[in-house]
């Protein structure tokens, strides 16, 4: 069975070709400093992305199972569960090519937030505004990265919310405004995709991984490789 997923603690700087630049670097950091001093996580290999592309954007066999197993180990290490309604684990899905491509590949942050876990985040942080601001940012980023919704649609909604409340900065929007804005963002998502915004964190993770894979052949990345001669 091909191994598609490596925990941070299982790699090193010498595995750059397999883990990508970021994956190899964080693995080396974990090896040198120890797993207790580096937040846990896992890396999906560059070979998995190559296999995905070669199979007409179909995930490699057994990759989903390996991701699920790695997520369970991460949850055990963190003492939290992805999307938990009381004290949610949130994760980032980041890209990391073999050669650095700054800003060319996509990233999804705050994954694991939904209509229930946002309330748990508000309680555990004792900061309701932070929780709803994080949720609206996640819906915005997920919609743009994972489903290709134009960023302007979300930005126009933010401008309308600020105009309605007669404020000039995003930071001036209060909790009620951010809660309403999140609802607007989810409506935009539904209008643009024909689907409801996914509440299942596992589905969020699956779509985010595919989006990061797909960003390898996005216009920005292709043009960057053309101009720099990188592979």
């Amino acid at each position: 069975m091909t191994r598609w997923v490596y925990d941070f603690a299982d790699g090193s700087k010498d595995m750059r070709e397999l883990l990508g630049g970021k994956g190899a670097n964080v693995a080396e950091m974990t090896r040198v400093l120890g797993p207790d001093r580096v937040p846990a996580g896992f890396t999906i290999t560059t070979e998995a992305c190559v296999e995905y592309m070669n199979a007409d954007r179909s995930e490699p066999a057994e990759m989903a199972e390996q991701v699920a197993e790695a997520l369970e180990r991460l949850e055990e290490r963190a003492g939290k569960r992805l999307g938990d309604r009381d004290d949610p684990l949130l994760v980032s899905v980041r890209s990391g090519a073999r050669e650095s491509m700054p800003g060319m590949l996509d990233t999804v942050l705050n994954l694991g937030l939904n209509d229930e876990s946002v309330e748990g985040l508000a309680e555990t942080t004792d900061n309701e505004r932070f929780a709803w601001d994080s949720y609206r940012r996640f819906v915005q980023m997920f919609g743009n990265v994972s489903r290709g919704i134009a960023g302007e649609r979300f930005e126009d909604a933010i401008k309308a919310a600020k105009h309605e409340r007669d404020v000039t900065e995003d930071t001036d929007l209060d909790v009620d405004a951010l809660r309403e804005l999140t609802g607007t963002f989810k409506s935009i998502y539904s209008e643009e995709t024909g689907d409801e915004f996914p509440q299942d964190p596992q589905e969020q993770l699956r779509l985010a991984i595919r989006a990061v894979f797909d960003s390898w052949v996005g216009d920005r990345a292709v043009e960057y490789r053309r101009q720099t001669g990188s592979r």
Side-chain angles (χ1 to χ4, degrees), residues 98-214:
R98 292 164 175 165
E99 298 181 16
S100 179
M101 298 175 60
M104 298 300 106
L105 302 178
D106 286 326
T107 295
V108 178
L109 307 178
N110 297 330
L111 190 146
L113 282 172
N114 58 29
D115 292 351
E116 292 187 345
S117 63
V118 66
E119 301 291 355
L121 182 63
E123 291 179 9
T124 56
T125 61
D126 195 27
N127 191 331
E128 193 174 12
R129 187 189 184 283
F130 165 75
W132 280 97
D133 192 38
S134 297
Y135 191 16
R136 72 92 181 169
R137 288 175 185 273
F138 171 54
V139 177
Q140 180 177 359
M141 182 176 290
F142 187 90
N144 177 247
V145 171
S146 298
R147 300 302 299 270
I149 302 173
E152 290 79 5
R153 286 222 59 187
F154 297 111
E155 292 300 328
D156 287 345
I158 294 173
K159 291 177 183 177
K162 290 190 292 188
H163 177 74
E164 180 180 342
R165 289 161 178 80
D166 194 26
V167 298
T168 58
E169 302 294 334
D170 294 5
T171 52
D172 294 327
L173 294 172
D174 61 17
V175 173
D176 290 338
L178 291 170
R179 186 183 289 108
E180 182 178 323
L181 191 58
T182 302
T184 300
F185 281 5
K186 290 193 293 182
S187 295
I188 291 172
Y189 184 97
S190 298
E191 292 169 8
E192 293 286 341
T193 67
D195 299 321
E196 295 298 317
F197 182 79
Q199 294 293 304
D200 180 0
Q202 303 295 336
E203 178 69 3
Q204 295 174 358
L205 182 60
R206 186 185 71 83
L207 291 173
I209 290 171
R210 291 179 63 92
V212 172
F213 278 175
D214 288 338

Side-chain angles (χ1 to χ4, degrees), residues 31-51:
R31 187 187 70 82
V32 172
L33 299 178
D36 293 336
R37 298 182 62 186
V38 179
F42 56 88
T43 300
I44 300 173
T45 67
T46 57
E47 290 179 351
C49 184
V50 172
E51 182 70 15

